[in-house]
Amino acid sequence: MIIMAPVLLILLGATEILQADLLPDDKISLLPPVNFTIKVTGLAQVLLRWEPNPDQEQRNVNLEYQVKINAPKEDDYETRITESKCVTILHKGFSASVRTILQNDHSLLASSWASAELHAPPGSPGTSVVNLTCTTNTTADNYSHLRPYQVSLHCTWLVGTDAPEDTQYFLYYRYGSWTEECQEYSKDSTGRNIACWFPRTFIHSRGRDWLAVLVNGSSKHSAIKPFDQLFALHAIDQINPPLNVTAEIEGTRLSIQWEKPVSAFPIHCFDYEVKIHNARNGYLQIEKMMTNAFISIIDDLSKYGVQVRAAVSSMCREAGLWSEWSQPIYVGFSR
Ligand SMILES: *[C@@H]1O[C@H](CO)[C@@H](O)[C@H](O)[C@H]1NC(C)=O
Ligand SMILES: *[C@@H]1O[C@H](CO)[C@@H](O)[C@H](O)[C@H]1NC(C)=O
Ligand SMILES: *[C@@H]1O[C@H](CO)[C@@H](O)[C@H](O)[C@H]1NC(C)=O
Ligand SMILES: *[C@@H]1O[C@H](CO)[C@@H](O)[C@H](O)[C@H]1NC(C)=O
Ligand SMILES: *[C@@H]1O[C@H](CO)[C@@H](O)[C@H](O)[C@H]1NC(C)=O
Ligand SMILES: *[C@@H]1O[C@H](CO)[C@@H](O)[C@H](O)[C@H]1NC(C)=O
């Protein structure tokens, strides 16, 4: 890397000279976009916009734009249109650059960069919340045929170590185009909000959008720094345990059956684990499977405890969390 860097610089320098002065007749000189702006359009979401340079000669070529996000997390992509939506945390500020490019199979011509930035929101150090964690779970909504499943959201956090005693925190979430403020807070002993519960949300449990959560606050003594975080639903969704687990013994066959959990995901979307506990010798058998039934051959007169748990399989979404085990049911004899 150390050896590469100067070489790269020389190459870049050469390209720029080529663009500026020594362009062969069939090459076009590229000018940077103008009026580049970054606008906050929602919680943890910005819209980047720019205009083609009015002095740019077109000459029937397909100009594109290269967008580079510099902070809070580097990203780099190309687009043909003059705006771009970005979902990202904003409490550390945001900065991006854009340039005009012309590419063909052999080469990339590029203008200089146009840049813009959003400053980090103000606030005293140590006043923002820390350790923000959120989970979702799903319940059946028997009263709505349009939306048979309701997703609830629960978030907790710790008060900033330097937040004054009179600090009050407020939590908001955004999912897609919906933003809501928390209505049901839990408080610590000094009355500061430290958790929030939304019994119903606009979160789509099978959706792939990021869940954006913001906690800001106010105090008479200092400005409270806001904090925002993005959550992937698969990583925070607490799956319900399987339903209606039954088990029976016929001869040497222990057959176990269950139903899929309460969930917006269809039946083929689940992995299961079955846990069979032999009460006589303490032996535990754990089997992983994708069907809703399991038969175990037993050769032991014993009492068996049976539990099943579920997870959404990677066929339907990125791997996530296992549910709790179902309540144990018992079959067989105890001696
Ligand atoms: C850039 O913004 C200025 C001021 O708002 C405006 O007058 C001008 O027309 C814009 N340029 C382009 C190319 O849109
Ligand atoms: C908060 O998060 C930090 C860093 O992730 C961790 O070291 C700390 O143990 C957490 N504190 C609590 C009380 O969970
Ligand atoms: C969903 O989560 C909330 C809060 O964590 C909890 O009170 C509730 O019992 C959960 N519901 C289900 C169906 O698991
Ligand atoms: C829907 O019905 C089920 C079964 O009757 C019940 O357990 C559940 O609590 C109901 N859910 C709501 C949101 O009323
Ligand atoms: C917190 O953020 C929300 C949503 O952006 C905003 O409406 C509200 O005014 C902010 N509150 C404070 C105290 O900064
Ligand atoms: C569970 O069993 C009950 C009673 O047999 C039945 O009414 C219910 O529909 C079953 N639940 C599912 C999800 O099949």
Side-chain angles (χ1 to χ4, degrees):
M1 282 307 285
I2 295 164
I3 300 167
M4 284 292 293
V7 178
L8 201 65
L9 278 179
I10 292 161
L11 286 177
L12 284 175
T15 323
E16 251 152 47
I17 292 167
L18 195 69
Q19 273 168 241
D21 311 318
L22 302 172
L23 278 176
D25 284 345
D26 62 336
K27 290 269 171 72
I28 183 170
S29 159
L30 295 182
L31 299 173
V34 297
N35 290 6
F36 178 38
T37 57
I38 303 172
K39 191 176 150 206
V40 177
T41 50
L43 214 155
Q45 176 174 274
V46 289
L47 183 66
L48 314 184
R49 255 196 191 136
W50 57 92
E51 300 291 340
N53 194 306
D55 299 328
Q56 177 68 55
E57 57 167 328
Q58 294 290 336
R59 257 207 266 160
N60 259 342
V61 289
N62 284 325
L63 294 181
E64 292 178 70
Y65 301 99
Q66 181 181 7
V67 179
K68 201 165 78 175
I69 311 297
N70 308 308
K73 192 168 166 282
E74 286 186 11
D75 194 9
D76 195 319
Y77 53 93
E78 281 140 35
T79 176
R80 289 180 186 281
I81 58 176
T82 57
E83 60 176 47
S84 169
K85 196 175 92 174
C86 223
V87 173
T88 173
I89 58 164
L90 296 173
H91 70 268
K92 295 175 178 166
F94 180 87
S95 98
S97 309
V98 60
R99 64 179 178 177
T100 312
I101 57 172
L102 177 59
Q103 24 186 5
N104 60 31
D105 298 343
H106 318 292
S107 65
L108 171 80
L109 272 182
S111 72
S112 57
W113 294 98
S115 298
E117 71 177 308
L118 293 177
H119 293 291
S124 311
T127 56
S128 69
V129 300
V130 291
N131 297 38
L132 176 65
T133 60
C134 294
T135 57
T136 56
N137 64 19
T138 299
T139 50
D141 185 341
N142 307 320
Y143 310 107
S144 162
H145 295 291
L146 284 176
R147 225 151 187 223
Y149 298 102
Q150 277 298 331
V151 175
S152 52
L153 170 66
H154 186 242
C155 295
T156 63
W157 57 90
L158 300 175
V159 168
T161 45
D162 298 321
E165 284 243 329
D166 75 330
T167 301
Q168 196 49 284
Y169 290 115
F170 307 100
L171 180 139
Y172 302 76
Y173 82 87
R174 180 182 62 78
Y175 190 75
S177 53
W178 295 98
T179 301
E180 282 191 296
E181 181 181 358
C182 182
Q183 303 296 329
E184 294 185 37
Y185 290 106
S186 313
K187 294 171 186 299
D188 69 3
S189 57
T190 63
R192 296 180 289 195
N193 294 334
I194 51 162
C196 165
W197 160 244
F198 291 91
R200 304 159 72 92
T201 64
F202 291 100
I203 298 169
H204 235 282
S205 53
R206 293 169 66 186
R208 288 169 188 272
D209 286 343
W210 289 97
L211 169 68
V213 176
L214 165 76
V215 184
N216 59 17
S218 64
S219 152
K220 285 202 188 75
H221 307 292
S222 49
I224 304 301
K225 241 179 154 20
F227 180 80
D228 57 0
Q229 189 167 334
L230 294 170
F231 295 93
L233 291 188
H234 68 88
I236 63 164
D237 191 18
Q238 185 62 61
I239 303 294
N240 291 305
L243 282 177
N244 287 5
V245 181
T246 58
E248 60 180 354
I249 292 176
E250 278 178 60
T252 60
R253 293 154 62 89
L254 165 57
S255 11
I256 304 162
Q257 291 183 34
W258 59 90
E259 316 268 357
K260 88 169 181 81
V262 170
S263 167
F265 283 96
I267 189 160
H268 68 270
C269 282
F270 289 91
D271 288 334
Y272 297 102
E273 272 186 3
V274 179
K275 182 161 78 177
I276 304 170
H277 177 239
N278 181 328
R280 195 178 60 79
N281 59 17
Y283 183 68
L284 264 189
Q285 180 186 4
I286 295 185
E287 301 286 343
K288 189 168 177 178
M289 68 204 61
M290 296 178 67
T291 55
N292 286 56
F294 176 65
I295 293 175
S296 178
I297 303 301
I298 52 170
D299 52 9
D300 204 8
L301 271 188
S302 170
K303 189 174 165 189
Y304 293 90
V306 174
Q307 288 173 284
V308 188
R309 65 178 182 175
V312 176
S313 83
S314 54
M315 281 184 350
C316 295
R317 134 173 125 177
E318 269 179 84
L321 311 169
W322 283 102
S323 71
E324 300 281 313
W325 291 102
S326 60
Q327 290 300 315
I329 54 165
Y330 297 97
V331 282
F333 313 93
S334 28
R335 290 197 287 187

